[in-house]
Amino acid sequence: MRCCSPPRPAWVPTCSSSTRSRRSTGPARAAGTGAWDWPPWRSRSRSRQRGSTIPAMLLPDAVCPHSTASPRLGPRAAGDEVHRRCCRGQPRELLPASCPGMAVPLGEPERGRAGRAGQGRTERGSAGQDGMVQGGAGPWDHRIIKVGKDPQGHRVQPAPTTTITPNPEQGAWLNNKGAWLSGNGRGLTEGGWLIGGGPTPRPRRVPLTSRAGNGGSGPRPLHGADRCGAQRGGACSALLCPRGWGGGGLATAPRGSPSPPPPARRGVPPPGPRVPRCPLHAPCPPVSPTSPVSPYPPYPRPPCPPISPHIPPPPQTPCPRGAAPPHLTPPPPPGVLPLSQAWGRAPRLPPSPLPAQRRAFSNNKILVELDESAGVATMKFKSPPVNSLSLDFLTEFCISLEKLENDRACRGVILTSAVPKIFSSGLDITEMCGKSTEHYAEFWRAVQEMWLRLYSSNMVTVAAVNGSSPAGGCLIALTCDYRIMAENPKFSIGLNEAQLGIVAPFWFKDTFVNVVGHRVAESSLQLGSLHPAPEAHRIGLVDELVPEEKLKDRATAVMQQWLALPGKGGTSWAVTECRNGDLTCVGGPGIEAGSCVSVGTGGVGGWEVGKLSKAVRAALGCEGCAWHTAGRSAGCAGRLPPAQLAVPALLSRAGGA
Ligand SMILES: CCCCCCCC/C=C\C/C=C/C(=O)SCCNC(=O)CCNC(=O)[C@H](O)C(C)(C)COP(=O)(O)OP(=O)(O)OC[C@H]1O[C@@H](n2cnc3c(N)ncnc32)[C@H](O)[C@@H]1OP(=O)(O)O
């Protein structure tokens, strides 16, 4: 029986052959032992392909680290507790009866859960993941088992067993979370992801009037009290609860969405007209200082981000980012509509007509400054004396990252410290002794969460290491795309756990190995070495050294370099045509015509541009189909009309992956 997925992300696989083969050290059973690595996550090479790998499985109950059957998490009580919270995010159909998550009555409307899907809740999103559907006894019975991003570029994770019901009168589709889908049955989309058909094992029709929640594109506001799992007695995670993220805004239909207005729910006044989702227009949600049922210990929730005074307040006002900049909209190839025309959405944010817009938000331990014009945020750790990674820090880190992840204006993050001479001292040692088992479990979960979110961020991440960075601090730097360190030899970095008499977790190790190579990692880990900056550079632990006063500028320059690339951080889209069994890029900004375009293994939007391996091409063997890829800042808005896509064919040729 399958149980819960990792704490996050929790995509449900569509195919065992999905992308596992592309991982160097992804989740796998240890040979002969039957044991599973945990957390099931990819590692990456330095020439990583962001978004090209995904967690490829739900974990069986026995290997869920939070389940009582897991040998990894220790005492049963802690396992139960965390497992319950973890599994809260899973469709109940997939939970075993033994799962503590099943303690929540099945009959209860899943409002809090539904609210997770696409409402400010971001899933560690591999940009290249597609929605897949199992089933379909009729043309409208589909079980979405994996989804990706919504049309605005926000990742969504609807419950993996979404049932889609047609609403013929309005020519659209409604899933069992109340989210509107658009499409024609062959190319249904939810949250911007194409879904297909097939027989449904157990189609579940949900009467319109009993639907609760909103799968992400529905009209109901995010921040109502009934949106929060905490309000119904369910577990509410600060990271999951939309109210934990002040900038979530309204979960409304994308601009130009063909979705019809939603039906009124019984007892619920019909919602107002849909308005474009613009974080700057989002009303500040009510924020409760603490949540009694939060799996996190009470902590002051971050205040809502300030709304820039120059942004007109009414949400109905057309978003100033709405129009596509002409110079960024490349001419489409013959017969192919520009993505923005095809779907009525801007493929990316226009440059602001105003002077550089900067926004900042801050919580107790992290200061975030977002330069909207550059699309780059700086996260400054400000938790003196040493920026130790306490539970509070980790929680705020994840919230800040998620905020930025949800912000279309942000495409890259620079991590640095506001504390002189210290980047981060690593895990807060005081969190690791004299606390309850539950606290340990919670703390460790938060450590993993931080790593997972950062590692798999769709934003370009650059560590500007302006001080010492032992252990967990080093992990943060390792988890970024690029590391620049101040060239002060007094600053050191490394995984020094051995010196503390503890062993770096294997995923610390894997991340380290990916950066410095096996042998260097081996000896460094065994000795618990802290490498002075010059040595760290020599062994490849950091990518470059610069004088401390130039660190910021250099990080900014590197970021610009990364963001100029198409794909993950880039702003380009490209269209490919299949000619003679090959995929040929017909061009796009920053993409040379004739270059290969990575199509991953199915799906639309968000794919990175890069080399398309012969193997993938052979697997796809596409003929006469068109494909496109959209960069993140295009908000993954790029979708060709279904008629122009042959995605199902591609998917089937790719083995359903
Ligand atoms: C609980 C469930 C999970 C269990 C998991 C078990 C397995 C985990 C296995 C491995 C993962 C571990 C990862 C880690 O990150 S462990 C932490 C490793 N960190 C260190 O070893 C850093 C130790 N600190 C230093 O080296 C230095 O403090 C410094 C270089 C960061 C700064 O030096 P300096 O400027 O001279 O400051 P001080 O040394 O005087 O320190 C100031 C102040 O800060 C306190 N402090 C330092 N580090 C930490 C820390 N990691 N956590 C908490 N507090 C820290 C230090 O004690 C001083 O406090 P004060 O005496 O009260 O002023």
Side-chain angles (χ1 to χ4, degrees):
M1 183 57 147
R2 286 180 168 177
C3 178
C4 65
S5 63
R8 232 92 50 221
W11 298 298
V12 182
T14 56
C15 174
S16 60
S17 66
S18 58
T19 53
R20 290 279 306 277
S21 61
R22 280 186 275 154
R23 284 177 225 154
S24 56
T25 54
R29 280 184 196 275
T33 66
W36 289 80
D37 279 350
W38 175 258
W41 194 246
R42 61 197 164 99
S43 61
R44 57 182 178 180
S45 65
R46 299 187 69 190
S47 58
R48 57 189 295 189
Q49 297 186 357
R50 260 191 197 273
S52 62
T53 57
I54 58 171
M57 70 203 71
L58 279 182
L59 294 177
D61 186 39
V63 298
C64 169
H66 299 155
S67 81
T68 53
S70 167
R72 289 190 182 273
L73 207 70
R76 179 185 181 90
D80 276 349
E81 177 64 10
V82 179
H83 188 52
R84 180 180 66 76
R85 293 165 179 165
C86 165
C87 292
R88 178 176 53 81
Q90 293 306 309
R92 297 169 187 195
E93 294 86 340
L94 296 176
L95 297 180
S98 63
C99 172
M102 294 296 280
V104 182
L106 270 173
E108 191 176 347
E110 299 182 355
R111 289 183 299 194
R113 186 172 307 171
R116 290 179 55 189
Q119 296 188 347
R121 160 94 179 92
T122 62
E123 205 54 40
R124 189 66 221 78
S126 165
Q129 306 198 36
D130 58 315
M132 287 287 292
V133 169
Q134 278 181 343
W140 47 81
D141 291 330
H142 296 75
R143 288 164 61 85
I144 301 175
I145 59 174
K146 189 171 68 174
V147 297
K149 288 186 173 183
D150 72 10
Q152 295 156 313
H154 301 91
R155 279 178 296 285
V156 296
Q157 187 204 15
T161 51
T162 303
T163 301
I164 301 165
T165 308
N167 187 333
E169 292 158 17
Q170 292 172 309
W173 307 69
L174 194 64
N175 72 11
N176 62 344
K177 300 290 182 273
W180 287 98
L181 312 170
S182 59
N184 61 3
R186 283 184 302 122
L188 281 177
T189 57
E190 179 175 23
W193 294 95
L194 195 75
I195 57 180
T200 301
R202 283 185 302 136
R204 194 180 80 178
R205 303 284 183 87
V206 183
L208 285 173
T209 50
S210 70
R211 289 184 184 110
N214 185 326
S217 57
R220 302 183 58 209
L222 271 180
H223 301 298
D226 65 340
R227 307 298 309 144
C228 175
Q231 299 299 313
R232 64 178 182 89
C236 173
S237 158
L239 297 180
L240 307 185
C241 172
R243 299 196 304 161
W245 155 225
L250 292 173
T252 53
R255 188 183 306 111
S257 166
S259 298
R265 291 175 58 233
R266 184 174 296 164
V268 177
R274 293 183 172 199
V275 295
R277 176 179 176 139
C278 172
L280 298 178
H281 290 159
C284 187
V287 173
S288 91
T290 58
S291 170
V293 292
S294 167
Y296 294 91
Y299 69 94
R301 290 182 186 268
C304 301
I307 296 177
S308 305
H310 59 268
I311 300 294
Q316 289 78 8
T317 304
C319 178
R321 303 169 183 164
H327 68 280
L328 291 172
T329 307
V336 177
L337 285 175
L339 303 181
S340 53
Q341 277 182 28
W343 290 87
R345 278 184 293 276
R348 61 162 294 176
L349 306 178
S352 168
L354 301 167
Q357 299 176 19
R358 289 179 181 274
R359 281 188 284 149
F361 60 90
S362 179
N363 47 42
N364 287 335
K365 301 185 180 299
I366 296 173
L367 171 66
V368 182
E369 294 166 334
L370 172 60
D371 180 346
E372 287 191 354
S373 59
V376 177
T378 303
M379 280 175 66
K380 279 187 185 165
F381 307 155
K382 57 168 184 101
S383 181
V386 288
N387 286 336
S388 61
L389 306 179
S390 62
L391 182 55
D392 283 352
F393 184 102
L394 294 166
T395 304
E396 292 183 2
F397 183 97
C398 288
I399 291 172
S400 299
L401 199 64
E402 183 167 7
K403 273 185 178 182
L404 296 174
E405 202 83 54
N406 279 335
D407 193 332
R408 288 185 62 192
C410 184
R411 297 185 293 129
V413 186
I414 296 170
L415 303 181
T416 193
S417 167
V419 174
K421 301 179 187 171
I422 308 288
F423 181 70
S424 166
S425 69
L427 302 190
D428 190 327
I429 291 167
T430 64
E431 299 274 16
M432 300 193 228
C433 59
K435 298 281 201 308
S436 67
T437 307
E438 289 75 16
H439 181 89
Y440 293 149
E442 193 66 16
F443 176 68
W444 198 241
R445 188 210 58 77
V447 176
Q448 292 187 347
E449 177 92 25
M450 178 270 294
W451 176 69
L452 287 167
R453 284 185 180 275
L454 183 58
Y455 197 103
S456 51
S457 172
N458 262 0
M459 297 178 287
V460 175
T461 51
V462 172
V465 183
N466 54 347
S468 289
S469 193
C474 177
L475 180 74
I476 290 182
L478 288 170
T479 308
C480 290
D481 290 306
Y482 198 82
R483 287 154 290 283
I484 310 169
M485 190 167 182
E487 64 184 1
N488 189 336
K490 290 183 182 166
F491 298 164
S492 59
I493 184 169
L495 296 181
N496 63 322
E497 281 82 351
Q499 289 198 26
L500 308 176
I502 54 180
V503 176
F506 75 92
W507 43 282
F508 279 49
K509 178 264 295 177
D510 283 347
T511 313
F512 195 37
V513 167
N514 285 344
V515 171
V516 300
H518 192 93
R519 178 57 192 143
V520 170
E522 187 176 45
S523 88
S524 181
L525 282 166
Q526 285 176 331
L527 294 170
S529 304
L530 282 174
H531 305 280
E535 185 178 295
H537 183 231
R538 188 162 43 78
I539 64 173
L541 177 47
V542 296
D543 295 296
E544 57 180 288
L545 299 180
V546 294
E548 190 167 355
E549 63 275 13
K550 294 188 179 163
L551 194 55
K552 185 181 169 199
D553 288 347
R554 181 59 194 149
T556 304
V558 167
M559 180 63 77
Q560 284 170 356
Q561 190 183 357
W562 279 69
L563 292 179
L565 296 168
K568 168 190 154 190
T571 59
S572 306
W573 60 269
V575 174
T576 61
E577 286 180 343
C578 297
R579 291 173 181 154
N580 304 322
D582 200 355
L583 286 177
T584 305
C585 177
V586 296
I591 305 170
E592 269 184 42
S595 63
C596 287
V597 175
S598 168
V599 295
T601 46
V604 179
W607 295 112
E608 290 183 342
V609 177
K611 295 275 182 190
L612 180 66
S613 74
K614 279 185 183 174
V616 173
R617 275 183 282 171
L620 295 174
C622 45
E623 301 163 5
C625 59
W627 196 278
H628 76 276
T629 168
R632 179 175 188 274
S633 65
C636 293
R639 288 180 297 170
L640 295 174
Q644 294 187 39
L645 291 170
V647 175
L650 287 174
L651 292 174
S652 64
R653 283 193 208 112

